[in-house]
């Protein structure tokens, strides 16, 4: 807390000390499920099945979905996001572009879960429900 106070006083940019600067626009708004969809990985197909018809479940729990595929980052199942694929991969220590990984990032920017296997929406919701509430 003291570090945050000092940084506020001296005017340091939040991106300088944020755990994941590429996701700064989501900070204190929602959890973010980042899916690195490897080009040479068949786990993407299973993940796609887990996400089918789950748009409302994600939205109702304030979970943003970002897919990192090829050289782009895509949001909300369709739209392109204004985030660099290389930057988010570096910020989250993500896998190579050929591999799959699912990472859950909390509203404070901390990684709360990472899996090399596809995850169901219900599993993500259960994880969030078990997380301690953050006090600001």
């Amino acid at each position: 807390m003291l570090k945050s106070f000092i940084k506020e006083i001296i005017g340091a940019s939040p991106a300088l000390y944020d755990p994941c600067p590429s996701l700064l626009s989501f900070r204190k708004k929602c959890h973010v499920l980042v899916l690195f969809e490897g080009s040479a990985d068949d786990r993407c197909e299973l993940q796609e099945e887990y996400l089918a018809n789950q748009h409302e479940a994600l939205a109702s729990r304030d979970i943003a979905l970002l897919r990192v595929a090829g050289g782009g980052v895509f949001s909300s199942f369709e739209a392109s996001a204004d985030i660099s694929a290389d930057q988010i991969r570096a910020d989250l220590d993500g896998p190579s572009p050929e591999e799959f990984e699912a990472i859950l990032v909390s509203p404070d920017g901390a990684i709360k879960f990472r899996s090399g296997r596809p995850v169901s929406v219900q599993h993500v919701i259960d994880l969030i429900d078990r997380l301690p509430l953050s006090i600001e």
Side-chain angles (χ1 to χ4, degrees):
M1 183 164 147
L2 182 58
K3 285 183 182 179
S4 296
F5 183 67
I6 291 171
K7 287 175 185 171
E8 269 187 54
I9 290 173
I10 63 173
S13 167
L16 292 177
Y17 58 87
D18 192 274
C20 186
S22 59
L23 297 180
L24 195 58
S25 64
F26 296 95
R27 203 62 68 241
K28 297 185 182 186
K29 295 178 185 173
C30 62
H31 285 84
V32 182
L33 179 60
V34 180
L35 301 174
F36 291 96
E37 298 179 340
S39 59
D41 201 317
D42 58 355
R43 291 175 282 186
C44 300
E45 293 174 22
L46 181 56
Q47 183 64 64
E48 193 65 36
E49 289 177 26
Y50 286 165
L51 293 173
N53 302 314
Q54 296 296 312
H55 308 300
E56 288 181 30
L58 290 167
S60 71
R61 296 304 299 262
D62 293 323
I63 302 169
L65 177 69
L66 292 179
R67 291 182 161 140
V68 182
V73 178
F74 305 90
S75 174
S76 302
F77 294 90
E78 296 172 12
S80 177
D82 190 22
I83 299 170
S84 161
D86 292 335
Q87 186 61 49
I88 195 169
R89 191 177 307 282
D91 288 350
L92 296 176
D93 194 25
S96 76
E98 292 80 33
E99 296 177 300
F100 175 89
E101 188 169 31
I103 299 176
L104 179 64
V105 180
S106 69
D108 64 359
I111 295 173
K112 296 299 182 177
F113 173 78
R114 97 174 29 238
S115 174
R117 297 183 307 191
V119 294
S120 70
V121 171
Q122 188 58 52
H123 182 71
V124 171
I125 289 170
D126 291 344
L127 283 168
I128 291 170
D129 287 345
R130 289 193 304 256
L131 292 174
L133 296 175
S134 63
I135 300 173
E136 295 185 42

